[in-house]
Amino acid sequence: METSVLKVDPTNPESDVIGRAAAVIRSGGLVAFPTETVYGLGAKGLSAEAVAGIFNAKGRPSTNPLILHVSDASEVLNVAADWPATAQTLAARFWPGPLTLVVPKRDSVPHIVTAGGPTVAVRCPNHAVARALIRAAGVPLAAPSANRSTELSPTHAGHVLKGLNGRIAMVLDGGRCSGGLESTVVDVTGEIPRMLRPGLITVPMLEAVCGRVEVGAKSEGVARAPGQMAKHYSPRTPLALCATPTDALTSAARARAQGQNAWIMAPDSKEFDQLDEGADILSALPERYGAELYDVLHMIDGAEHDIVFVVLPPDTPEWAAVRDRLTRAAARE
């Protein structure tokens, strides 16, 4: 299969380009497209056969559910059997945006989308290309990140092609994704909302709207949302997590003395003021760090380092998504 790459205006997408991509979706094919978080890999969300193509292209385990994307909140009842008051409150505040809500599913949602579970994860993305594609296709789009399973998420069209070239029909190249981290996922089926995956919308932001929010998935057999695997979002280069800049500098020096090509990745801090080589220094602001993270990890993968020592950012709500991605990226299995 030859993967077509079509340039598209990220703010005012051309109707002919969107039309071509929507035709691929309607025919059961796969199209990668930009969102405000990362590039997604879209298929007809209510077609089990089309969705199976996502799992095949990514090498994704069937136990890892997908998110259904809608172009407007009014469309959720096409896939949700119930829309709790908390869902309505959160959607009114954060949609369109990087928030996924887990709700009871309609029978029309194929089991392959939900890993056989009774709930479905739904999101309305805040990106002109994504919403135009959903509207033109006329169906909710099942769309995980457009990468091979467990590997780094893509924030550029080039990242998509690294893993999926020849495995999918089309990529809509809308430039760089602004957010850089996958959406926050919140289960609203219980009395108290529960964050299943941290993202750009933090616990304090949620609690300011809906009150107390619990954190962490329950052990209940069937995953209700993606992003729960211990190893996920991972580069090929091994990562070693360090608590402080001093730990990273010491560990890197030791590894280099043993002949390893060691690298450091860390938020900007005074400890690295004099470090002019051997490190990628990211922003000390969580939003900017998150936007840079996958791009830097993709570049690190292309540099043939033996190991990268990663300084974990502070253990605060604002950094929760970054720490989550780094922890999963560093996991061995």
Side-chain angles (χ1 to χ4, degrees):
M1 177 191 300
E2 181 179 354
T3 299
S4 301
V5 179
L6 301 183
K7 289 280 190 179
V8 62
D9 188 319
T11 58
N12 188 25
E14 299 85 349
S15 60
D16 60 327
V17 175
I18 295 297
R20 289 174 62 183
V24 172
I25 295 289
R26 289 194 297 269
S27 70
L30 305 182
V31 175
F33 60 94
T35 77
E36 80 279 26
T37 58
V38 299
Y39 272 74
L41 180 59
K44 288 193 296 186
L46 301 184
S47 166
E49 183 179 1
V51 172
I54 291 176
F55 285 86
N56 291 335
K58 287 175 59 73
R60 185 183 181 94
S62 61
T63 53
N64 195 7
L66 303 177
I67 295 171
L68 290 183
H69 293 66
V70 296
S71 65
D72 187 83
S74 63
E75 300 169 11
V76 294
L77 293 182
N78 294 330
V79 298
D82 184 35
W83 190 238
T86 302
Q88 177 63 34
T89 299
L90 290 172
R93 171 62 182 84
F94 295 111
W95 278 13
L99 176 67
T100 294
L101 297 172
V102 175
V103 295
K105 82 175 190 73
R106 281 193 177 277
D107 291 340
S108 57
V109 176
H111 290 300
I112 190 172
V113 171
T114 66
T119 60
V120 63
V122 189
R123 177 164 105 85
C124 178
N126 188 19
H127 196 288
V129 173
R131 296 177 73 191
L133 180 59
I134 298 167
R135 287 193 297 268
V139 292
L141 295 188
S145 55
N147 59 307
R148 298 301 298 273
S149 182
T150 77
E151 295 183 2
L152 288 172
S153 293
T155 55
H156 296 267
H159 297 162
V160 177
L161 293 172
K162 282 172 61 176
L164 297 177
N165 192 16
R167 304 180 69 88
I168 64 176
M170 183 178 292
V171 179
L172 290 179
D173 182 357
R176 181 177 179 174
C177 299
S178 60
L181 294 178
E182 300 80 5
S183 62
T184 302
V185 179
V186 179
D187 185 343
V188 293
T189 60
E191 291 186 9
I192 301 172
R194 176 174 291 272
M195 178 186 283
L196 304 182
R197 179 177 72 185
L200 300 175
I201 296 173
T202 65
V203 167
M205 293 167 66
L206 293 167
E207 291 186 332
V209 176
C210 67
R212 184 162 72 94
V213 173
E214 296 178 338
V215 177
K218 294 181 178 179
S219 299
E220 51 190 0
V222 177
R224 295 195 169 204
Q228 309 301 300
M229 297 185 298
K231 178 180 173 61
H232 210 163
Y233 319 113
S234 300
R236 294 185 301 274
T237 307
L239 304 183
L241 303 182
C242 301
T244 68
T246 299
D247 291 342
L249 289 165
T250 301
S251 297
R254 185 182 302 117
R256 290 166 183 155
Q258 296 172 353
Q260 288 185 294
N261 181 2
W263 199 253
I264 292 171
M265 190 176 81
D268 194 10
S269 69
K270 63 182 180 181
E271 285 88 345
F272 295 110
D273 283 349
Q274 305 304 316
L275 193 64
D276 57 1
E277 60 181 15
D280 279 300
I281 307 303
L282 284 70
S283 173
L285 301 175
E287 296 87 356
R288 288 181 57 188
Y289 185 111
E292 298 169 358
L293 175 59
Y294 288 134
D295 198 27
V296 170
L297 288 175
H298 276 284
M299 289 189 291
I300 283 173
D301 254 0
E304 299 183 355
H305 300 301
D306 294 316
I307 189 169
V308 178
F309 295 97
V310 180
V311 180
L312 280 171
D315 188 7
T316 62
E318 293 75 20
W319 285 100
V322 169
R323 288 176 62 93
D324 173 81
R325 303 310 190 271
L326 289 174
T327 300
R328 296 181 195 278
R332 294 294 183 263
E333 58 182 41

